[in-house]
Amino acid sequence: MQTLGIDLGGTYVRAAVVEADGTILGSSKQALTERTPEAVVAAIALAKRAAEAEAPGARVERCGVGAAGQLEGDSGVILVAPNLGWRNVPFGALLAEKLGQSVRVVNDLSAAAWGEHEAGAAQGAPDVLTVFVGTGVGSAIIANGALVQGARGVAGELGHVKVVPNGRLCGCGEKGCLEAYTGGHHLIELMKEALAAGKAPLLAKAVGEGTPNPAQLEAAAEAGDVDARAIYDQALRFLALCLGNQVTMLNPGRLILGGGVLAHAPHLRQRLEGALLAVASVASRTGLEVRTAALGDDSGLIGAALLA
Ligand SMILES: [Zn+2]
């Protein structure tokens, strides 16, 4: 039997028919032109049909969704999904009714971490910390081979750990979160603020009339742009502190790093590894394997399907 995995982002939805071993048999992607729950459910139904058409003979009876947002345990209720503009949406029930199938909704990072655990860089490791630094910062904890969800289902939100009391406003509505200093969206905002203030001359030259990106930030910092360096070093320092402390707390056997910011700033990943190991206690980092996520964009699809 196969299961359907759904990756629900803010601008698109992807669907895949997935084998029990994590192999993708068929997949499809639908742009989200509207973001009401009804429109998203309809887009998922379309994506499902297209994915199933690529996998003739597959028998799909269950569906797993990885959604960017905070969920209420296994109830299928999405408490907050900032990039969809949702609050308290009974999404799992709506989708199950539309598809006529049982549906499990999990956090997108939980899905990605589970995909890496079952078919990617975390295979064979019972205790895993997974951290993705992309547009936002997400993480998930696997302990004794099981996802740690917490009493309300929102455990592992490393992106919303506070690093500056009453600091920058984060997309979650709270202030001073790690994500507000290190997520791709906020790095771009920090660069724009510096450029608007007439700072970061080397970065300004590289960016021109375009939108700054993390690769340009790293290049400008390395070329000696003091203002770019301040933003870059701050992000590196906060990430290293939070990740290193999590290693001390959880003593994972494997740490999986992924996400667009780490992929596109070529030296940040290596610097972060060195810096976080320097923060973690000697006992907790001894024997720790740090690996790069192996499944790319498919980790969430595969993990959501296998969690269904
Ligand atoms: Zn936050």
Side-chain angles (χ1 to χ4, degrees), residues 159-162 170-180:
H160 305 290
V161 162
K162 304 299 180 283
C170 180
C172 71
E174 295 175 16
K175 287 182 175 175
C177 299
L178 174 65
E179 178 170 306

Side-chain angles (χ1 to χ4, degrees), residues 82 87 135-137 159-190 193 234 238:
R87 274 181 189 273
T135 305
V137 175
H160 305 290
V161 162
K162 304 299 180 283
V163 292
V164 177
N166 212 25
R168 280 178 75 83
L169 183 64
C170 180
C172 71
E174 295 175 16
K175 287 182 175 175
C177 299
L178 174 65
E179 178 170 306
Y181 298 88
T182 63
H185 172 74
H186 286 278
L187 284 175
I188 290 168
E189 291 301 308
L190 285 162
E193 287 167 22
Q234 173 177 266
F238 284 154

Side-chain angles (χ1 to χ4, degrees), residues 261-280:
V261 169
L262 295 185
H264 293 126
H267 302 125
L268 185 59
R269 157 80 175 75
Q270 268 328 102
R271 288 186 175 124
L272 175 58
E273 180 171 339
L276 80 89
L277 291 175
V279 169

